[in-house]
Amino acid sequence: MGKTIKTISLASHVGAGKTSLTEALLFHAKKISRLGSVDAGNTITDYDVEEIKRKMTLALSVVSFEEENVKYNIIDTPGFFDFESDVRAAESVSDALVLVVNATSSLEVGIEKILKRLKSNPKPFMIAVNKMDKEGSDFFNAINELRSRSLGFNFACMYLPFGNASEFKGMVHVMSKKSIVYDADFKFHIEDSYPKELESKIEEEQERLKEAAAEGDDAILEKYLAGIDLSEEEIVTSLKNAVKQGKTALVLPVSSVKGYGIAQLVRAFGYYFPSYNEREVIRLYCDGEEKDFSIGADSDLIIQIFKTVLDPFVGKVSFAKILNGSYKGDSVLYNVTKQQEERIASVSFPFGKEPTITKEADCGDIITFSKLQFTTTNDTLSRSKLKCEPEKIDFPKPTFYMGVYPKVKGDEDKLGSAIMKFIEEDPSMFYGKSPETGEFLLGGLGDIQMDVLMEKVKRRFKIQGSLVKPKVAYREAIKIPVVAEGKHKKQTGGHGQYGHVIIKFEPISYEEEFVFESQIVGGVVPKQYVPAVEKGLREVLSNGYLAGYPVIGLKAILIDGSYHEVDSNELSFKMAAHLAFKKAMEKAKPVLLEPINYIEVTVPKDFTGDVLGDLNSKRGRIQGMDSLKDSETVIKAYVPQSEIVSYAMDLRSITQGRGSFVTRFDHFEEAPPLVAEKVIKEANVENNK
C-alpha cells in the first residue's frame, strides 16, 4: 500500500464554525501562515464570489496537510439545508466525520439530520464543540443535548474544559487527569493538576469512556461487567474499535479562532480515525451483482467522481476519490458509467482555489480532474472496460420549484443552456419544461440554492433571469351533456369551404382526457372526413372556455352533419369541429378543475399539531397518521397543488428544518367557487396581455 491517508469531512449546521476550524487545522499544520476569517472573506475554502458575499459555505472544498506520516484530506462542507448534496457527497468519500457543534446555542437540526444518516449508514465520527471562547458558550449543555437526542450513540468526552467564554483557559484529559493549559493562541503547556470542581464530572466521564470501550471489544465488555478495573491502555485500544464501528463518538472542546484544542483534535484523528488503507475490500456492482474486490495500490484502478464544479478560470473540475489501485499519470481512462474513453488533461491535489498538479496519486486519496468531456458526478473511471462501479451517492431529490424566465425576451435558449451548465454542480437540482404547463421550471431544495445559481449564471454568462411562482396545471371540464352544431362555410374565387357537424358532448371521468366516437349513418359525413373532425376537436381541447386551460373528461359523439360534393375537405370539417366545441363549452356549465396532490409529511411528534394545522389551512384533507421509530409521525393527506407549491419552505419554517415530505399528483377535483373565480380572472388578464 502507499501513503497512509485519512479523508475527514467537517459537517454541521450553518454557523458552527467548520470553515474557521479548517483554517485552524491548516495553521496548526503550518500549511498557512495566517488565519483567514469568514467575515473578512479570506479563508482557503470559502473562495467563491457568492461565498464571500454571503459569508457562508455554499459548496464543499478540499484541503490537505500531513502530520506524523499521515496525509489528512479535510472536506469543508456547507451547513445550510439547501446545499445538502455536497454534505452527502463528502460523507460518501470520507473515512470519518467531525460534527462541529456550536457551544453557544442549543443543538441544531443540521447535527440531528447528520446523526440520523450515521445511524443508518455507520461511519466513524467525533464531536468538536466549537466556539468555546465565545460569550454564551456552555460545553456541558451541548453534551447533554447531544445525549438526549443520541439515537443510540455513545458520546464520550476525551477532555473536559475548565471555564467558558473569556474564562476558557484549558481542559483536562479525562483518563490521565492532566491539564492542558493555554498560554496564547495555539500554544499550551501540560500540568499534572486539575481544577477540583471538575472531580465529579471527570469521574462521570471516565465511567462513560469505560462503557464506550466495552462496546468495542467483547473481552473488555466481560471484564467491565465483572467489575474488573480496566487499564488506560485497554480503554484506549477498545475505544478505537468502538469509534471505528461508528458506535461511539469522542467529544473534544475547541476554539478554532484561538487554536485551543486543535493539536489535541489532530492527535485524536491520528489515533482513533481509521485510514482508507485499513480497509481490506471494496464492494462494487458488476452488471447488477455485488462483488467484493481486494483493496490495494496495485489493484485495478477504480475512481469515483463525487463532485463537479464549473470553475470560471479552469472550466469543468471533477472531484474524485481513488477507491482502488493508484493513479500513475494515465493519459486516457475509461468512463465505466458512460462506456466512453476519457482523455485526461490535468490531475491535481485540491487545496481550495490553489490546487497542486500531480502525476501520481495513491489509493484512498482525493484528486481533481480538469476539463473531462463526458464525465459527471457519480461516474466511475477505470483503466478497465469491465462495468464495475461503487454504490451511487444518494443525493436528495428536488422538493421546491420555481418558474424561470429571461429578463430579455428571446434569451430563453441562452438562459436554459447556462442554467444546465451549473445544474451539473448540484445533482439535487433540476431544469426542464413542465409537460403540464409548458413552463420552464428550476427545481431544488430551497430558495437560497436557486438564488445562488441564478447569480452565477448572471456573473458568468451575462444573462439575467427571474424566478417566479410556478404555474399550476389547472384543467377545465363540462358538467352536463349538450349537443352543438358547427358549420363552416366559406366561398372564395375557386373552390369554397364547407363542413357541417352535429356533435354530442358528454362529461366522463376526469382520468380520461378525451374520447371520440362516430355514430354517423347514411354517409351524411363521408368516412374520409370523420378523422378530421376528431383532429379538429383535439386541437381545441388545449384551450378551454373559462380560462384557456386544457379540457379533460370529455366524450364527443359525432351524430350528424352534411357535406358538399365540391367544397368539402378535411380543413372544413376541422373548422366545423372547432365551432361545435366552442358552442358546447358555453352551454355545458364548464367548471375549473384543480390538481390535488397526495402528500406524506414526516415530522417529529412535537411538531405534529402545527403541521396538521398548516395542512388544514391549505385546504388539506387528512387521510391518516402513522407513528415511526425515533418519535416521528407520518401525516398523510390530499392537498390542492396550488397550496403547496412552496411547501418545502413552509415545512422548513414550521419544523425548523426537521420535517420532510414526498408528494405526487393524484387526481383532479372541481375547484371551489372563490378559488375558481380568482384563477379565471388572473388567467384572463394574462391571456389578454
Side-chain angles (χ1 to χ4, degrees), residues 59-60 86 305-311 315-319 372 375-378 421-427:
L60 67 80
D86 276 26
I305 307 297
F306 66 91
K307 171 70 179 175
T308 304
V309 172
L310 193 62
D311 188 275
K316 183 177 172 181
V317 176
S318 304
F319 285 76
L372 294 182
T375 303
T376 56
T377 301
N378 253 336
K421 290 182 185 297
F422 282 108
I423 286 285
E424 195 174 339
E425 291 191 339
D426 192 338

Side-chain angles (χ1 to χ4, degrees), residues 36-50:
S37 77
V38 173
D39 286 339
N42 59 356
T43 63
I44 298 296
T45 53
D46 283 1
Y47 55 86
D48 182 80
V49 173
E50 284 298 309

Side-chain angles (χ1 to χ4, degrees), residues 405-415 462-466:
Y405 293 87
K407 286 288 181 69
V408 178
K409 195 170 183 180
D411 277 354
E412 287 84 0
D413 290 343
K414 290 181 182 178
L415 178 62
K462 312 302 180 190
I463 302 171
Q464 285 186 270
S466 58

